[in-house]
Amino acid sequence: MSYEVLGITVLWIFLFGYLIVASIDFGAGFFSYYSTITGKRHVINNMIERYLSPVWEVTNVFLVFFFVGMVGFFPDTAYYYGTALLVPGSIAVILLAIRGSYYAFNTYGTNKNNSIYMLLYGASGLLIPASLSTVMTISEGGYIEVSDSGKVSFLFSKLFQSTYSWTVVLLALVSVLYISAMFLSYYADRANDRGAFEVVRKYALAWSAPTILSSLLVFFAIRGHNAEHYQRMTEHAWMFVVSFACFLIAVYHVWTRKRLGLSFIFVMLQFGFAFFGYGAAHLPYILYPYLTIHDNFTSEPMAIALISVFILGLLLLIPSLYLLMRLFLFDTKYVQGKRGK
Amino acid sequence: MLLSSYDPVMYSRMLTGLTLAFHIIFATIGVGVPLMIALAEWIGIKRNDEHYLLMARRWARGFVITVAVGVVTGTAIGLQLSLLWPSFMKVAGQSIALPLFMETFAFFFEAIFLGIYLYTWDRFKNKMTHFWLLVPVVIGSSASAFFITVVNAFMNAPAGITVKDGKITDISPFGAMLSPAMPTKVSHVLVTAYLTCAFVLAAIAAWSLLKGRNHVYYKKALKLTMVSAFIFLISSAIIGDLSGKYLAKYQPEKLAAMEWHFETTSEAPLVLGGILTEDNEVKYGLKIPFALSILAHGVPNAEVTGLNDIPEDEHPPLFIHYLFDLKMGFVAMMVLIASAFMLLLWRKRELAFSNKRILRGIILAAPLAMLTIEHGWIFSEVGRQPWILRGIMRTSEGATVSDHVDTMLWVFALLYIVLAFSSVTVLTRMFRSNSAEQEIEAKGIKGGDAE
C-alpha cells in the first residue's frame, strides 16, 4: 500500500468514526428536544443524558482529527477546499459552537432545563449534518471553479439548485436519526428501561425505510452528476449489497426486540460497507477533477512521521476509549443509573 | 479609511485575531485549571481534608463550562486556519503538520479522561484511583498547549526546512518542531497559563472573603491558589528574561521595534513609556541606561541591533512598544499584589485573609493576568508582521482571496458575544445558587484537620 492510500484510509476511518459517534450525538439531541415537545421527555431523557454526558467532548475530536490530518497528508486540500468552503465551513463551525456550548450550559449549568437551550441544541443537531454533507457533495466536482490564474471560487447557487446535493442532505438527515435511534434502542435495552426502549424503538423503525430509500436516491443522483464515479461504484457493487444485508439483519433484531447489541454492530457494518465502498470508488480523486491523492502529497519524511505518530497515538487512544466504554457503556450499574456522578 | 473597501487580507487578520483573542481566554483556563484541580484533590487526599476535595469538585464543575467554550472556539480556529489562510496552510501542511497532528492526539486524550473524571467521583473505593484519572487530563491539556505553541514558534522562527527559490524543500518533521523560538515560547505559555488560573481561582475565594463569608474553606482556597501563583510568577519572570535574549538573537527586528531602538549601539538603554513622534523621535520616555543590553545579552556593553539596520518593508509596527509597556505594567502590579499577600501570610497570617485592600488586589489580579496574556500574544503576533512565516511568506500572500470574509467577521463577532454572555451567566448562576457553605452543610463535612 502506498503512503497516499494509507494516509487517506486512516483519514477515512476517522471520518467514519465521526459519522457514527456524531450521528448518535446529533440524533440524541434532536430526540431529546422532540420528546420535550411531545411530552415524552421524562421517559427517555435520563437515558440519553447518561450516555451523552461523558462522551460529548470526544465526538468533536474525531472531526478535528480528520481535517488536521487531511491538511497534513494532502496540503493542497487546504488550498482548494479552504478557499471554496469559507461560507459553508463557517456556518458549520458556528452551528457546532452553538450546539457544543449550549449542551454544556444546559447539562452542567442550570438546574432545570432551559427550553431555548434545548431548541438550539436540537435544531443545530440536524443542521450540522446537512452543512457538513455539502463537503461530500462538493468533492464530486461541478461546484467549484478554478480560473486560469488558480483562483478557486465556489458556485453556491449551483450547489443550491442541484438535485444531487439535496439528496445527500436528505440522506445525511435521515441516517443521523436512524443511527441514533438504533443506538439508543440498544442503550435503553441495556439500561433495562422498557419505557424508553419502546419509544426509541419506534423512532428506529420509523427511520429505517427512509434511510434505505434516500441511499437509493443518492445512487441515482450520482449517476446523473458524476458518471465516472458511478461507474466505479458499480465495480464495488458487492459492498453495497453487503451493506443492504446488514441493514436487514439490524432492523430484524430491533423488530423482534432481541440481541440489540448485535443489531447495532450491524448498523455500523451497514454504514461501514457503504461508506468505504463509496470512498474506494471516489479514489483517486479528493476533489473531482482537480485534486487526486497523488497531487502534491506531503513529503516522504512527513508522511512517515505522521503515520508513526498515528500508530503511537492509537496505542494510547484505544485503551483509553476502551476504558471510557467499559465505564459508561458496558457498566450495567452506570447505564441503569445506579451510580451517582 | 480602514474599512472602506473590501480587503480579504485585512478582514482575515481581524477575524483570526478575534477568534484567537476569544479562544485564548478559555484555552488558558483549559491548560491551568486542571493542574489546580489536581493540586487541590491531591492535598485533600493526603491530608484527609474534605474541604480540598470539595474545592477540586467545585472547580471541576465550573471548568466543564469553560472547556465547552474552549473546545468549540478551538474547533473554530482549527478550521479557520484553512478557510482564511489556505495558501499558508498549504505550506504549513508540508512543514508543521506533525505538531498539529500531535495536538489533536493530546486533545483526544484529555477529552476522554475528562469525561471519565467528571463522572466517577464516587465510583472507586480508593480515592487515589480517581485522582490518577486527572493526570492524563493535566498531561493532555498541557501537551496540546505545548504542540500548538510549537506550531507558532515555527512561524516565528522557521527551522528544519530549506528554502529554495521561495519553495520549501528538504523538510525534517522533527527538526521543524525544534525551532529556536520553541523552548522560551512553550515554557512561557505554560507557566503563564498556570499563573493566570491560580489568580482566577484566587479571585473567586477573595471575592467570597471580601463579602464577609469567612468560612475556613475560602481561606484554604486562597492560600493554595496564592502560594501557587507566587511560585508561577517567579518562574514566568525568569522565562520572560530568557525570551528577551531569544529575541535579540533570532528576531532582532521585534526587539528593536518593541523598544524603539533605531541605531545599532552597545550599552543600549531601555525605554519605558514615552511617545513616538512622526520622525521617529522618542519623547517623554524614561531611559534606563544599559538595561536593553542586559535584557538582550546579559552584559551592559553588548551591542543591540537597531531598526535602521533592517529593511524598512520588514519593520514590525512600532505601536507594539505600547503593548509591551502595558504588559509589563500589569506584571508589576501582579508582583506587587502577590508579594504583599505572601508577606502578610508569613507575618500576620489572619490579616492575609481579611485585609480588604489585599483581597481587592487579588480580585484585580485575575483580570490583569488575563489581560497580560492577551497583550503578550498580540504583542508577539503583531511583532512578527509583515511575516506569516518569518523570512519565507508574507501575511498578504497567505490569506484567502474569497469573498464574504467581512460578513463572516461580523457573524463570528456576534457568536462570541453571545457565548461570552451565556457562559458568564451560567457560571455565576451555578455558584450563586449553590455556595460552598451550602454544599459543606449538605454533605455534612466536618472542618478538616488543617485548622
Side-chain angles (χ1 to χ4, degrees):
Chain A
M1 206 190 264
S2 64
Y3 287 129
E4 288 97 313
V5 178
L6 193 61
I8 197 76
T9 310
V10 163
L11 295 175
W12 206 242
I13 291 171
F14 263 86
L15 196 57
F16 177 67
Y18 182 67
L19 181 113
I20 298 292
V21 291
S23 295
I24 297 175
D25 189 353
F26 293 147
F30 177 76
F31 289 133
S32 180
Y33 176 68
Y34 180 74
S35 68
T36 312
I37 49 176
T38 51
K40 291 213 170 89
R41 183 182 171 72
H42 57 285
V43 190
I44 65 168
N45 199 58
N46 276 341
M47 184 257 313
I48 290 181
E49 203 167 281
R50 262 202 302 281
Y51 166 73
L52 281 184
S53 304
V55 303
W56 64 275
E57 237 198 312
V58 178
T59 314
N60 235 14
V61 195
F62 277 92
L63 180 66
V64 177
F65 204 104
F66 173 74
F67 64 70
V68 167
M70 194 75 184
V71 175
F73 279 109
F74 307 99
D76 266 16
T77 53
Y79 182 69
Y80 283 94
Y81 280 105
T83 310
L85 287 174
L86 178 71
V87 175
S90 298
I91 294 174
V93 169
I94 289 169
L95 290 169
L96 281 169
I98 291 176
R99 190 184 144 80
S101 37
Y102 281 90
Y103 172 74
F105 296 163
N106 197 34
T107 313
Y108 306 99
T110 46
N111 289 331
K112 54 178 184 296
N113 285 291
N114 183 320
S115 60
I116 297 170
Y117 290 3
M118 293 285 301
L119 174 68
L120 284 174
Y121 177 58
S124 56
L126 287 187
L127 293 173
I128 293 168
S131 70
L132 288 179
S133 67
T134 57
V135 182
M136 284 288 174
T137 316
I138 290 168
S139 76
E140 293 292 338
Y143 307 103
I144 279 183
E145 204 174 65
V146 180
S147 75
D148 294 336
S149 61
K151 191 190 164 180
V152 178
S153 40
F154 175 47
L155 311 172
F156 184 75
S157 58
K158 211 165 170 191
L159 179 83
F160 206 71
Q161 287 160 14
S162 128
T163 345
Y164 174 63
S165 81
W166 286 108
T167 54
V168 174
V169 168
L170 182 72
L171 177 64
L173 284 184
V174 291
S175 28
V176 159
L177 296 172
Y178 166 74
I179 294 174
S180 184
M182 291 296 270
F183 176 81
L184 292 174
S185 305
Y186 158 67
Y187 202 67
D189 182 59
R190 275 202 66 91
N192 228 344
D193 188 341
R194 294 335 290 175
F197 174 72
E198 288 305 324
V199 174
V200 286
R201 173 178 173 270
K202 273 196 201 107
Y203 294 161
L205 294 175
W207 288 108
S208 59
T211 300
I212 278 303
L213 286 177
S214 49
S215 314
L216 284 174
L217 264 181
V218 168
F219 254 93
F220 290 122
I222 283 191
R223 190 162 71 168
H225 185 78
N226 183 343
E228 202 185 321
H229 188 190
Y230 179 77
Q231 179 55 35
R232 277 194 306 271
M233 275 169 77
T234 53
E235 286 161 22
H236 294 82
W238 68 271
M239 296 184 84
F240 300 98
V241 174
V242 174
S243 165
F244 183 68
C246 294
F247 164 77
L248 292 179
I249 299 173
V251 172
Y252 171 79
H253 281 109
V254 172
W255 181 261
T256 56
R257 297 184 173 86
K258 273 182 197 129
R259 310 196 66 177
L260 278 301
L262 194 67
S263 162
F264 191 69
I265 288 174
F266 275 98
V267 170
M268 289 200 279
L269 287 174
Q270 174 199 339
F271 279 88
F273 277 107
F275 192 72
F276 282 88
Y278 169 86
H282 204 295
L283 289 180
Y285 292 104
I286 299 180
L287 174 62
Y288 182 87
Y290 301 108
L291 201 60
T292 71
I293 53 170
H294 308 293
D295 299 328
N296 212 344
F297 182 64
T298 191
S299 66
E300 194 176 308
M302 183 57 89
I304 296 172
L306 287 177
I307 291 168
S308 328
V309 164
F310 177 75
I311 293 168
L312 289 176
L314 277 190
L315 291 180
L316 208 67
L317 278 188
I318 291 172
S320 324
L321 278 172
Y322 174 74
L323 183 66
L324 187 73
M325 292 201 276
R326 260 291 298 277
L327 291 171
F328 300 108
L329 223 55
F330 303 123
D331 184 298
T332 316
K333 272 192 190 162
Y334 173 80
V335 175
Q336 295 178 353
K338 287 178 188 158
R339 282 191 202 276
K341 21 179 161 166
Chain B
M1 281 290 286
L2 186 66
L3 301 174
S4 56
S5 64
Y6 175 72
D7 173 10
V9 180
M10 193 50 168
Y11 283 111
S12 296
R13 288 182 61 191
M14 287 166 73
L15 179 48
T16 311
L18 179 70
T19 304
L20 280 174
F22 189 66
H23 175 65
I24 208 80
I25 298 174
F26 296 91
T28 302
I29 294 175
V31 172
V33 170
L35 184 72
M36 296 307 296
I37 297 176
L39 260 178
E41 191 170 352
W42 191 70
I43 294 176
I45 295 169
K46 287 293 151 196
R47 294 197 193 154
N48 197 15
D49 185 334
E50 291 275 351
H51 286 150
Y52 284 99
L53 294 177
L54 181 69
M55 209 179 286
R57 214 165 167 147
R58 285 175 65 84
W59 287 346
R61 228 180 275 150
F63 180 61
V64 196
I65 303 290
T66 61
V67 165
V69 183
V71 168
V72 298
T73 52
T75 311
I77 189 64
L79 260 167
Q80 274 178 0
L81 278 179
S82 296
L83 297 176
L84 298 173
W85 308 97
S87 309
F88 162 68
M89 281 307 273
K90 200 169 148 179
V91 175
Q94 282 157 2
S95 46
I96 40 173
L98 188 67
L100 275 173
F101 203 57
M102 288 161 112
E103 198 261 351
T104 51
F105 267 116
F107 174 33
F108 218 140
F109 199 48
E110 180 196 346
I112 291 174
F113 281 93
L114 184 64
I116 298 178
Y117 177 80
L118 289 173
Y119 284 86
T120 49
W121 277 97
D122 302 316
R123 212 189 257 205
F124 307 106
K125 278 205 189 80
N126 187 344
K127 280 183 180 162
M128 279 311 272
T129 314
H130 186 248
F131 171 79
W132 288 118
L133 288 170
L134 195 57
V135 173
V137 179
V138 175
I139 293 175
S141 59
S142 293
S144 55
F146 176 91
F147 289 122
I148 211 67
T149 314
V150 165
V151 173
N152 182 268
F154 176 87
M155 292 163 81
N156 273 280
I161 49 169
T162 314
V163 186
K164 215 175 173 183
D165 308 326
K167 293 236 177 213
I168 292 181
T169 52
D170 294 329
I171 297 148
S172 148
F174 288 96
M177 290 175 65
L178 300 172
S179 130
M182 192 275 270
T184 42
K185 259 199 185 279
V186 164
S187 43
H188 200 64
V189 163
L190 286 176
V191 172
T192 51
Y194 300 149
L195 168 68
T196 305
C197 293
F199 269 134
V200 166
L201 297 170
I204 299 173
W207 179 268
S208 301
L209 286 167
L210 192 67
K211 293 268 149 193
R213 292 152 57 183
N214 53 3
H215 195 283
V216 65
Y217 169 88
Y218 298 114
K219 294 177 184 167
K220 286 175 183 172
L222 192 67
K223 189 177 151 200
L224 170 64
T225 50
M226 284 305 289
V227 171
S228 314
F230 189 71
I231 294 166
F232 295 138
L233 201 54
I234 295 170
S235 346
S236 33
I238 297 169
I239 296 161
D241 179 58
L242 292 175
S243 306
K245 298 194 169 32
Y246 151 78
L247 281 182
K249 194 164 175 199
Y250 294 96
Q251 284 180 284
E253 74 281 4
K254 196 193 259 186
L255 184 74
M258 94 189 199
E259 287 306 338
W260 290 344
H261 185 62
F262 294 97
E263 294 295 330
T264 302
T265 52
S266 52
E267 304 174 4
L270 187 80
V271 182
L272 281 184
I275 53 166
L276 199 63
T277 60
E278 277 185 20
D279 38 352
N280 285 349
E281 299 247 351
V282 182
K283 273 190 176 169
Y284 315 116
L286 176 66
K287 281 193 179 175
I288 308 173
F290 310 113
L292 185 58
S293 290
I294 297 174
L295 181 77
H297 300 284
V299 276
N301 57 0
E303 188 177 86
V304 181
T305 313
L307 267 183
N308 292 349
D309 284 352
I310 290 156
E312 201 157 333
D313 65 340
E314 291 176 16
H315 282 191
L318 291 173
F319 71 80
I320 59 171
H321 174 77
Y322 300 115
L323 290 175
F324 185 72
D325 272 4
L326 218 55
K327 174 182 156 171
M328 293 324 283
F330 295 151
V331 171
M333 284 163 80
M334 285 190 282
V335 170
L336 196 72
I337 293 164
S339 318
F341 177 85
M342 291 304 284
L343 199 69
L344 273 186
L345 189 70
W346 178 43
R347 285 289 177 183
K348 293 180 175 160
R349 201 183 163 78
E350 265 315 298
L351 218 54
F353 301 114
S354 57
N355 183 305
K356 288 220 157 121
R357 266 196 217 151
I358 282 289
L359 294 176
R360 280 199 200 107
I362 293 170
I363 294 168
L364 179 70
L368 278 184
M370 208 49 106
L371 277 174
T372 312
I373 297 240
E374 294 277 3
H375 276 79
W377 271 114
I378 297 170
F379 157 72
S380 166
E381 293 305 281
V382 175
R384 79 178 142 96
Q385 293 306 320
W387 301 107
I388 192 166
L389 275 177
R390 183 181 177 272
I392 299 173
M393 188 187 236
R394 282 173 190 265
T395 307
S396 51
E397 300 162 336
T400 183
V401 288
S402 284
D403 307 325
H404 311 302
V405 186
D406 50 346
T407 321
M408 292 304 119
L409 172 65
W410 301 122
V411 175
F412 274 99
L414 184 70
L415 171 75
Y416 299 145
I417 293 172
V418 172
L419 285 183
F421 177 76
S422 315
S423 46
V424 170
T425 316
V426 167
L427 278 172
T428 42
R429 200 185 298 154
M430 202 163 147
F431 288 102
R432 228 173 243 161
S433 64
N434 185 14
S435 72
E437 292 93 334
Q438 285 168 332
E439 222 175 322
I440 287 166
E441 198 168 331
K443 281 177 177 278
I445 295 173
K446 308 271 184 315
D449 61 358
E451 304 281 322

